[in-house]
Amino acid sequence: MDIDRIIEKAGGADEIAALAGVGLEAVRKWRQSRMVPTKHWPALLRVPGIALQDLTADLTTTETQQEQERETDVSNPCPPGANAALVLADGTVLWGRGFGAHTDGAVGELCFSTGMTGYQETLTDPSFAGQIVTFTFPHIGNVGTNADDNEAPKMAALGAVVKEDITAPASWRSHEPFAAWLRDHGRAGISGIDTRAITRTLRDNGPQTAILAFPENGRIDTDSLLNRARQWPGLEGMDLAKEVTRPKRAWTEGVWHSTKPVRENRRRVVAMDYGAKDNILRCLVTAGCDVTVLPATATAEEILELKPEGVFLSNGPGDPAATGTYAVPAIRKVLDANVPVFGICLGHQLLAQALGGKTYKLERGHRGANQPVKDVETGRVEITSQNHGFAVDEKSLPADVKVTHVSLFDGSNEGIASTTKDAFSVQYHPEASPGPSDSFYLFERFVAVMDRRAKAGA
């Protein structure tokens, strides 16, 4: 029986996931590999209409197909002009021209970004850890790279997929060509790819596991690459915040060319770094904060020892439920200490968990700089920048947590606020400013909360 038929017999993806005790991401991978792992067979055999021969037939068919592929030239020599490949776990092989650093295969979740500019900021955004980024805008790399546009010291994304070949830099701000910058970061890119086709696949079928290969010896074994892609476990259940967080440090740099007056009465803020972008920290400083950054694993005691007037929860990569195993207990103690809290992206998801909610993996993540979000209280629509594959489950929120923002694309949650604590958060990136300044008010709101608390305590 075909895997899709098995899922249908079980009552759909949600039902079969609950029956097998897995997440929807696992079901998606079953569809990619065209079979159900044997350890889940006993649970599925309890479903009327599913018999052992249905599961074994599916496995046998898959193995037969793989054997036939091995008997035909599995190495699939590169077509003329190609020296790199992007292989998806569903068996799709896309040939192209590699640039940047050579790699025998970087495997991760393939996603797309709709930004027309800011490729350097995108690739250094720690939220893209574990992901290969496909750019929908065809001309990437044309303006080169510079030392100012990084959002973190290291490139977080695993690789870049683009349509057109990289040209020479055409900007007075460029310090280094894009391909050379990728080599410096040990990452590869691939050009000559139909990025619109990839985007349609991701839009219709959700994120796909993929592997990007640009080997130095030019030998590309697509069968081996496909096997590696199918073995990758996926982002669900993966804690990546520990991999991208940075040590304790003070942050004093504000937004460049800001016209806002410098505040005299500044507020002490601890920024939890789950993968913080530098521009977020700049926005906090410009809004009137003296910022101390702590690593993702900092305890509540380490946070409260600094006597913060507010705690900021940053963006970051991976599964919020996995990061929450150590982050949520610390956040709860901060809330119990009656310290104001403001979170964005992963920080939003962690705050929701600390307040009693849950998160889930989106079938289609939100990534790009043109995401419309509605403030449900004011009716105002903001054009936002987003990068997340997980979301807060509104149905799981307790009565003392209200929804403040929603996505106008799919209706998913984009913001919450506690009605009993000075704590609020948004799913999007207010510091990215695609609006260009639609969302800076959130940083000012955070400071206003601390100002009010300071005035009341005086």
Side-chain angles (χ1 to χ4, degrees):
M1 187 183 297
D2 179 78
I3 179 63
D4 293 319
R5 182 62 176 156
I6 291 175
I7 294 173
E8 181 183 344
K9 283 277 189 181
D14 290 325
E15 292 296 328
I16 199 172
L19 187 66
V22 300
L24 289 174
E25 176 72 4
V27 178
R28 182 179 66 81
K29 289 186 176 297
W30 296 354
R31 280 196 168 109
Q32 285 184 346
S33 62
R34 310 308 303 169
M35 62 181 173
V36 178
T38 55
K39 64 181 180 180
H40 298 302
W41 288 5
L44 301 190
L45 290 174
R46 295 197 295 268
V47 177
I50 297 180
L52 182 61
Q53 57 264 33
D54 299 324
L55 298 171
T56 54
D58 187 57
L59 179 61
T60 303
T61 300
T62 301
E63 290 178 339
T64 301
Q65 291 172 344
Q66 292 175 347
E67 183 62 30
Q68 290 173 346
E69 291 170 358
R70 280 192 289 271
E71 291 174 356
T72 60
D73 188 8
V74 296
S75 62
N76 284 336
C78 292
N83 60 2
L86 181 70
V87 180
L88 278 60
D90 65 2
T92 302
V93 177
L94 301 170
W95 297 100
R97 293 173 291 279
F99 58 93
H102 288 287
T103 176
D104 291 329
V107 60
E109 183 179 270
L110 184 64
C111 63
F112 66 86
S113 174
T114 60
M116 295 176 64
T117 62
Y119 54 83
Q120 188 177 341
E121 292 94 325
T122 295
L123 294 173
T124 54
D125 179 354
S127 295
F128 276 109
Q131 295 174 311
I132 300 169
V133 181
T134 300
F135 290 96
T136 60
F137 188 68
H139 303 288
I140 297 296
N142 294 15
V143 297
T145 62
N146 61 71
D148 297 326
D149 288 349
N150 291 336
E151 289 290 359
K154 298 179 181 179
M155 177 173 160
L158 296 172
V161 181
V162 304
K163 178 175 175 56
E164 301 293 342
D165 290 342
I166 307 301
T167 61
S171 171
W172 62 271
R173 297 183 68 239
S174 178
H175 296 168
E176 187 177 31
F178 183 43
W181 180 84
L182 280 175
R183 283 196 298 272
D184 292 344
H185 286 270
R187 294 288 196 265
I190 184 171
S191 64
I193 300 296
D194 186 348
T195 54
R196 294 182 68 183
I198 290 179
T199 302
R200 285 194 296 269
T201 295
L202 300 180
R203 179 197 65 192
D204 296 339
N205 303 320
Q208 303 286 311
T209 299
I211 185 167
L212 171 57
F214 175 36
E216 190 169 7
N217 62 12
R219 296 179 180 177
I220 300 178
D221 184 341
T222 57
D223 187 66
S224 174
L225 293 173
L226 178 59
N227 185 53
R228 289 173 59 189
R230 287 177 171 172
Q231 289 180 353
W232 193 67
L235 292 179
E236 193 167 15
M238 190 176 291
D239 172 31
L240 294 175
K242 288 180 180 178
E243 297 184 14
V244 298
T245 191
R246 287 179 270 174
K248 177 182 178 181
R249 63 197 187 280
W251 186 275
T252 58
E253 182 182 284
V255 173
W256 301 324
H257 311 303
S258 174
T259 58
K260 295 183 180 296
V262 178
R263 282 175 51 110
E264 293 183 2
N265 298 321
R266 304 183 67 79
R267 299 302 169 201
R268 296 185 308 277
V269 168
V270 167
M272 296 302 298
D273 182 4
Y274 305 115
K277 296 166 64 178
D278 287 351
N279 204 41
I280 294 173
L281 305 178
R282 295 189 192 103
C283 287
L284 286 170
V285 170
T286 297
C289 303
D290 285 332
V291 180
T292 300
V293 184
L294 291 184
T297 54
T299 64
E301 291 71 24
E302 292 171 322
I303 298 170
L304 297 174
E305 184 180 3
L306 297 174
K307 302 188 184 308
E309 295 174 276
V311 173
F312 173 77
L313 312 176
S314 83
N315 64 296
D319 188 339
T323 303
T325 57
Y326 56 86
V328 167
I331 296 169
R332 283 177 177 156
K333 290 183 179 179
V334 169
L335 293 170
D336 290 341
N338 205 28
V339 177
V341 175
F342 170 36
I344 70 168
C345 198
L346 177 60
H348 162 69
Q349 297 158 354
L350 295 174
L351 176 61
Q353 292 181 66
L355 292 172
K358 296 180 180 180
T359 59
Y360 66 97
K361 195 171 194 312
L362 290 165
E363 289 188 17
R364 296 162 184 81
H366 298 170
R367 296 178 180 86
N370 59 350
Q371 308 274 333
V373 170
K374 182 179 180 179
D375 185 324
V376 298
E377 294 183 350
T378 66
R380 180 184 178 187
V381 176
E382 304 168 37
I383 301 302
T384 70
S385 176
Q386 301 193 20
N387 174 24
H388 62 103
F390 294 81
V392 171
D393 182 0
E394 289 188 359
K395 296 179 181 178
S396 71
L397 295 173
D400 61 351
V401 178
K402 63 180 180 179
V403 173
T404 60
H405 297 75
V406 295
S407 168
L408 293 184
F409 275 162
D410 60 10
S412 61
N413 180 263
E414 293 285 350
I416 60 171
S418 171
T419 60
T420 59
K421 302 281 187 181
D422 284 324
F424 68 98
S425 58
V426 293
Q427 180 63 76
Y428 52 94
H429 284 246
E431 89 296 337
S433 305
S437 56
D438 289 10
S439 307
F440 189 80
Y441 74 92
L442 291 164
F443 294 99
E444 295 174 328
R445 178 184 293 177
F446 183 42
V447 173
V449 169
M450 292 184 284
D451 286 344
R452 174 174 53 78
R453 295 280 293 271
K455 185 177 181 179

